[in-house]
């Protein structure tokens, strides 16, 4: 039985349809509960241990509700952000900085080590979509705590996705790229990201549970 109980803030944007993933087949995400982004201030989150925030979210409102985010984390839970941060509502991460681009290869990426949720994912397939470079990631968030674990980076060393376990009693996954959970289907190696990320969530929740024991 999965450890994760995921709640995802629904921004109500054009890339989401009644809680469906933005992927090739637009399949339902039955393992995720969606709530309207403006409900976070009053919603009962006690049944969930993973909160997911993605692009097109109202960050001005999230900044007003940043205490809710911090409380969730300090209960030993996980917050996953795949948004370009322009307000400091996420502990452990700085504000978004666009990648400096002089040629399309400046968007090339690499996993920081072998044991990540990008394992066996072809970086060329992740970087390009329909011939467009930079579809997956176009910038970064500065790491606040040097103890953070970098997961994905540009080939110049700039971190794209990292894990912070020191800013709060929980775990922050900060990514300046696309939503991990939507990479679940398709015809290439990028479909490995979602299941590997879900498996990592289980492992991390077990670690957090052990740390609280």
């Amino acid at each position: 039985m999965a450890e994760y109980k995921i709640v995802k803030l629904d921004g109500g944007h054009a890339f989401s349809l009644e809680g469906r993933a933005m992927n090739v087949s637009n399949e339902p995400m039955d393992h995720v509960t969606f709530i309207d982004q403006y409900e976070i201030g009053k919603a009962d989150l006690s049944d969930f241990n993973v909160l997911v925030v993605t692009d097109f979210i109202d960050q001005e409102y999230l900044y007003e509700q940043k205490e809710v985010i911090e409380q969730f984390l300090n209960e030993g839970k996980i917050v996953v952000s795949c948004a370009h941060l322009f307000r400091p509502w996420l502990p452990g991460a700085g504000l978004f900085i666009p990648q400096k681009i002089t040629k399309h290869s400046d968007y090339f990426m690499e996993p920081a080590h072998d044991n990540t949720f990008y394992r066996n994912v072809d970086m060329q397939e992740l970087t390009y979509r329909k011939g467009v470079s930079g579809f997956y990631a176009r910038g970064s968030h500065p790491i606040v705590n040097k103890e953070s674990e970098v997961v994905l980076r540009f080939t110049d060393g700039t971190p794209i996705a990292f894990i912070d376990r020191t800013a709060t009693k929980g775990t922050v996954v900060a990514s300046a790229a696309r939503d991990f959970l939507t990479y679940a289907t398709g015809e290439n190696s990028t479909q490995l990201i979602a299941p590997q990320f879900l498996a990592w969530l289980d492992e991390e929740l077990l670690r957090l549970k052990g740390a609280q024991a």
Side-chain angles (χ1 to χ4, degrees), residues 179-198:
D179 179 3
F180 301 115
L181 298 179
T182 62
Y183 282 79
T185 63
E187 299 178 352
N188 61 34
S189 64
T190 62
Q191 66 183 299
L192 296 172
I193 295 173
Q196 291 181 162
F197 183 66
L198 291 172

Side-chain angles (χ1 to χ4, degrees), residues 80-150:
V80 180
S81 172
C82 298
H84 293 172
L85 305 179
F86 67 89
R87 288 287 183 267
W89 56 266
L90 184 67
L95 302 184
F96 179 77
I97 299 176
Q99 178 75 339
K100 185 176 180 180
I101 297 299
T102 59
K103 54 188 181 300
H104 67 91
S105 59
D106 291 330
Y107 283 133
F108 285 5
M109 302 171 289
E110 61 185 10
H113 52 84
D114 292 334
N115 189 27
T116 79
F117 21 92
Y118 295 97
R119 187 171 59 255
N120 297 323
V121 175
D122 186 321
M123 291 291 110
Q124 288 288 99
E125 293 174 344
L126 191 61
T127 300
Y128 289 93
R129 177 169 290 191
K130 297 181 179 180
V132 177
S133 178
F135 183 87
Y136 187 72
R138 297 183 179 182
S140 62
H141 297 115
I143 292 177
V144 174
N145 302 311
K146 62 181 181 180
E147 299 88 353
S148 296
E149 175 191 348
V150 177

Side-chain angles (χ1 to χ4, degrees), residues 7 22 28 31 55-56 73 79 82-83 89-90 94 109 114 166 171 188 202 210 213:
V7 60
M22 187 191 73
H31 55 293
D55 46 6
F56 302 108
L73 284 162
V79 170
C82 298
W89 56 266
L90 184 67
M109 302 171 289
D114 292 334
T166 60
T171 299
N188 61 34
D202 267 349

Side-chain angles (χ1 to χ4, degrees), residues 1-5 202 206:
M1 183 177 179
E3 292 286 329
Y4 55 78
K5 297 177 182 177
D202 267 349
L206 287 171

